[in-house]
Amino acid sequence: MTILQLEKRILWVSVAFVLILFALAALAVNLFHVGLPTCLTDIKPFQKGEVITHSPTHYEIHYVAKMWKFEPENVTVPAGSTVDIYVSTPDVTHGLALLGTNVNLMVVPGVVNYSRVKLDTPRNYQLLCHEFCGTGHDRMATNLRVLDKASFNPAQLAPAPTQSQDPGYRLLESKECLSCHTVDGQEGIGPTLKGIFGRTEKLTDGKTITVDDAYLWESIVNPSAKIPSGYDDLMTKTELTDEEVAQMIEYLKTLK
Ligand code: CUA
């Protein structure tokens, strides 16, 4: 078999390209610490978001991605930190991208996904969901702040959730009401609960009512009875005791 001079050259160039490719990959791994994200099947998905401090320059964040937010929210770490990011979800498939870094994970029910990042520059990183996960997908974002070492105070690490610990609020959360109703005035699948008590509401049958105890009670236990105009009859009935309904209503009255 004879190999032409030209063929030989082409072979050499091809081999060189392959070697350069491997060299670049090795360089990326060793110099820039580019790694593949890992899916961990031997850790149980966690229920609670938290930040664990291993050392003043090494933190571990357990994110829980759920419809439609990340917990913990607004974590702050000092510049120069290595951050191990773990994420899991109790509901549907989400994504986690830390914009401006190489962190880009799928968040799949049943497993924990992991990536490590070193954050050297003081700045605000946006952390968001990049997998369409439902009507609240576009709201699903939080921040990961990197502060310069001098101004960092460990108390800032993970601010306690600003959400109310009111039993009424916790009921709304645990009964999934907040998947469709917001408490901050933003539009949802259902009307916002902000300022609901005393509000004038036009109904689908054309009547206008003022939201009072009786209307709230009826709408919670029998959601289809009176639907505000502009919304569909989508709310399902939820098993609630009278006491729970009363607690919810008490809380709704505080949402001015
Ligand atoms: Cu979660 Cu999109």
Side-chain angles (χ1 to χ4, degrees):
M1 187 180 77
T2 46
I3 299 176
L4 292 177
Q5 197 60 33
L6 180 64
E7 285 177 317
K8 268 189 199 162
R9 275 194 209 147
I10 291 172
L11 280 173
W12 278 120
V13 170
S14 316
V15 170
F17 267 117
V18 171
L19 291 179
I20 290 170
L21 188 73
F22 277 110
L24 285 177
L27 200 69
V29 170
N30 291 307
L31 201 61
F32 302 112
H33 306 287
V34 175
L36 287 178
T38 325
C39 171
L40 309 167
T41 48
D42 53 346
I43 305 180
K44 265 182 91 190
F46 19 79
Q47 309 299 320
K48 210 170 111 261
E50 61 180 328
V51 185
I52 298 161
T53 306
H54 288 296
S55 80
T57 54
H58 182 198
Y59 299 90
E60 180 175 323
I61 309 179
H62 293 182
Y63 279 111
V64 175
K66 56 181 169 187
M67 295 159 145
W68 284 281
K69 64 177 180 202
F70 287 98
E71 282 173 5
E73 294 188 284
N74 301 319
V75 175
T76 304
V77 295
S81 297
T82 298
V83 181
D84 288 317
I85 295 179
Y86 292 81
V87 65
S88 66
T89 174
D91 43 53
V92 300
T93 301
H94 298 273
L96 183 158
L98 189 61
L99 300 191
T101 72
N102 282 328
V103 178
N104 187 321
L105 296 168
M106 290 303 296
V107 187
V108 183
V111 294
V112 175
N113 281 34
Y114 165 74
S115 184
R116 169 175 277 190
V117 63
K118 188 148 189 293
L119 300 170
D120 288 320
T121 327
R123 57 165 277 192
N124 188 36
Y125 288 93
Q126 246 204 325
L127 184 143
L128 49 82
C129 176
H130 59 67
E131 196 61 30
F132 183 72
C133 54
T135 48
H137 164 69
D138 58 323
R139 275 187 271 129
M140 196 165 163
T142 182
N143 295 302
L144 177 52
R145 254 193 335 152
V146 182
L147 276 189
D148 68 88
K149 274 203 188 91
S151 41
F152 176 77
N153 166 2
Q156 292 168 304
L157 209 52
T162 46
Q163 283 145 3
S164 167
Q165 286 310 301
D166 187 290
Y169 177 86
R170 288 208 301 269
L171 270 170
L172 290 176
E173 196 177 39
S174 64
K175 302 292 179 185
E176 305 288 336
C177 310
L178 302 180
S179 299
C180 297
H181 299 277
T182 69
V183 293
D184 60 4
Q186 284 195 67
E187 267 307 302
I189 294 172
T192 182
L193 302 175
K194 186 177 182 179
I196 189 159
F197 194 78
R199 186 159 77 198
T200 318
E201 202 84 78
K202 201 163 177 244
L203 304 179
T204 40
D205 63 7
K207 287 195 190 115
T208 300
I209 52 118
T210 301
V211 177
D212 56 9
D213 284 279
Y215 175 77
L216 286 176
W217 195 287
E218 181 180 41
S219 296
I220 293 170
V221 299
N222 183 14
S224 301
K226 294 184 181 118
I227 309 282
S229 144
Y231 294 94
D232 291 319
D233 181 7
L234 294 173
M235 183 167 149
T236 51
K237 281 191 187 174
T238 307
E239 284 295 321
L240 292 166
T241 64
D242 284 358
E243 197 195 340
E244 287 175 326
V245 178
Q247 275 178 344
M248 280 183 176
I249 294 178
E250 279 319 301
Y251 174 68
L252 294 179
K253 287 181 181 173
T254 68
L255 294 174
K256 299 255 159 49

